[in-house]
Amino acid sequence: MVVVGGGSVAHRRVAGLLEARARVTVVSPEVTPALEALVEPGSLTWVARRYQPGDLDGAWYAVAATDDPAVNAAVAEEAERLRVFCARADDRSASSVWTPAVGRQGDLVVGVHGGGDPQRAVGVRDAVVAGLTDGSIRDRAARSPEGGRAGSVVLVGGGPGDPGLVTVRGQQAVAQADVVLADHLAPQSLLASLPPEVEVIDASKLPRGRSMAQEQINALLVERALAGKRVVRLKGGDPFVFGRGMEELEACVAAGVPVEVVPGVTSAIGVPGLAGIPVTHRGLTHEFVVVSGHVPPGHPQSLVDWTALGRLRGTVVVLMGVDTAGAIAAALVEHGRAPQTPVAVIADGSTPTQRVVRTTLTGLAATLADEGIRPPAVWVVGDVVGLAPQL
Ligand SMILES: C[S@@+](CC[C@H](N)C(=O)[O-])C[C@H]1O[C@@H](n2cnc3c(N)ncnc32)[C@H](O)[C@@H]1O
């Protein structure tokens, strides 16, 4: 493929061609920084000069995307003579091919022509892709095990609870699922939109409450997938941050079940972010540590080096640490952290009941009790907590 021109129009066309795995040559004295960045890794070839007749030799497809209509016309003429399809960015009536608005969902490609109106094409393309993503348009062949497709498992990180914080890929996987095993911290409203024939299995693990054993979850994933179902394991946050996602992946691999991991917005970073608290800030914090507080310092099962964490200057984010907050705060102070270090507690992050409470390390345990904070909550220790009130 030969693209003549190196500006923003050429850039957009090149992006589409590279997505289709074309071998692309760009002819232009100058290119945008984004196009230049593709040269070094070998994603495209850049001929750094103006177009010359003969540049389309051996091409399958040409794009004329300069800001000079005379050059674009010359490119189109050469293409016509060589019987190479040519898209003229400045004159669709002089083009031998029109570029559709393209959308992708996995291996499915949707192309829309808008009868000469590119915005119309984009609007319909977006509507179709959105429908495929949220399940209101069903890709029946993709869903049908009888269609010859083997069962599979997708481990989807659902983010902290707001359905708007699920990735597009995660939402697509849920929309195509035959079976969804869902955690209570995953976005529950995604389940509401599933058709009745989709099996939804409650795989919640309530803190100190009812809980499906991990072995049972693993067994269900494998069993349903081996029965030819498309199984989604919908988890809160990211599957690999205190989520036991690796155990589920290992169980699938051991059983020969194809498995895909879709990362999610982890509550460790996303929930403080929603409260306006960055886990890093230039000139203030060059590190952040995410730590599980499900067992307190000194507990025989604890794997955390609390002495090292107490010496840390940067940000400490604690998950599963409501009941253990007092013991953890005391350990951090004992090992060097200033007692007045600011702390923010964010409960029910990203949901309508989100609460943010501010305190200090020494005041943490009393604040949690006074405010009646319940899981799920993350708490953040460090100078970054002091930034948000200045906003
Ligand atoms: C078992 S861990 C799972 C973490 C998850 N994999 C992630 O990446 O966010 C559960 C803990 O995550 C935190 N958490 C998850 N969702 C939360 C939310 N919406 N608001 C506050 N904390 C949340 C809480 O500390 C909760 O106890």
Side-chain angles (χ1 to χ4, degrees):
M1 313 285 171
V2 175
V3 177
V4 181
S8 61
V9 174
H11 174 211
R12 294 214 310 255
R13 296 296 171 92
V14 166
L17 292 172
L18 290 179
E19 195 175 14
R21 299 175 175 232
R23 290 210 334 251
V24 178
T25 298
V26 172
V27 180
S28 177
E30 290 165 359
V31 295
T32 62
L35 282 173
E36 188 180 342
L38 295 167
V39 176
E40 174 75 19
S43 302
L44 63 78
T45 304
W46 176 21
V47 179
R49 57 160 171 72
R50 292 176 65 81
Y51 162 76
Q52 292 173 0
D55 279 345
L56 302 190
D57 273 353
W60 288 85
Y61 183 81
V63 176
T66 75
D67 52 11
D68 182 342
V71 172
N72 291 346
V75 174
E77 274 166 33
E78 183 183 356
E80 189 70 14
R81 195 164 25 82
L82 296 177
R83 298 185 170 209
V84 171
F85 281 123
C86 177
R88 258 187 83 164
D90 60 341
D91 186 354
R92 76 188 286 281
S93 66
S95 300
S96 53
V97 62
W98 295 338
T99 312
V102 172
R104 291 172 203 276
Q105 203 209 39
D107 56 359
L108 190 72
V109 181
V110 178
V112 180
H113 284 291
D117 181 346
Q119 285 195 331
R120 184 178 172 209
V122 165
V124 174
R125 185 269 321 267
D126 288 349
V128 172
V129 171
L132 287 164
T133 301
D134 67 20
S136 57
I137 299 175
R138 296 244 152 225
D139 176 6
R140 302 234 171 246
R143 287 175 46 78
S144 162
E146 304 87 69
R149 293 183 183 249
S152 60
V153 170
V154 189
L155 304 179
V156 174
D162 178 344
L165 295 177
V166 183
T167 62
V168 172
R169 175 67 197 120
Q171 204 184 355
Q172 289 169 348
V174 172
Q176 292 172 355
D178 301 303
V179 181
V180 179
L181 275 91
D183 277 351
H184 70 289
L185 290 178
Q188 303 297 302
S189 56
L190 286 185
L191 306 177
S193 59
L194 293 172
E197 70 268 21
V198 175
E199 183 185 13
V200 176
I201 301 175
D202 182 350
S204 301
K205 290 182 180 150
L206 306 183
R208 297 182 309 278
R210 285 191 296 157
S211 157
M212 183 181 278
Q214 188 62 47
E215 296 68 27
Q216 192 183 352
I217 295 173
N218 297 351
L220 281 167
L221 293 175
V222 167
E223 180 193 295
R224 295 296 196 275
L226 290 178
K229 305 287 186 187
R230 295 180 158 231
V231 184
V232 163
R233 174 74 175 106
L234 183 60
K235 303 169 75 68
D238 182 275
F240 287 169
V241 178
F242 305 134
R244 304 189 71 168
M246 194 61 189
E247 293 166 56
E248 295 167 358
L249 185 142
E250 284 168 346
C252 293
V253 170
V257 169
V259 56
E260 174 189 346
V261 179
V262 180
V265 174
T266 176
S267 63
I269 301 172
V271 166
L274 289 165
I277 300 168
V279 290
T280 68
H281 187 65
R282 193 166 66 92
L284 193 66
T285 303
H286 287 179
E287 80 242 317
F288 68 97
V289 174
V290 180
V291 60
S292 169
H294 75 289
V295 288
H299 190 281
Q301 286 173 3
S302 176
L303 300 175
V304 180
D305 184 346
W306 295 105
T307 311
L309 284 193
R311 284 203 304 267
L312 207 69
R313 291 182 47 178
T315 309
V316 179
V317 182
V318 181
L319 272 61
M320 295 179 280
V322 173
D323 291 348
T324 51
I328 292 173
L332 293 177
V333 171
E334 180 191 341
H335 296 297
R337 199 84 197 217
Q340 293 309 310
T341 306
V343 175
V345 184
I346 309 107
D348 296 341
S350 87
T351 75
T353 52
Q354 173 174 309
R355 284 178 70 196
V356 184
V357 176
R358 288 165 190 284
T359 180
T360 59
L361 269 181
T362 40
L364 178 60
T367 304
L368 290 176
D370 293 348
E371 298 286 340
I373 298 289
R374 304 296 313 145
V378 301
W379 48 277
V380 189
V381 184
D383 293 337
V384 289
V385 172
L387 291 170
Q390 298 162 18
L391 290 175

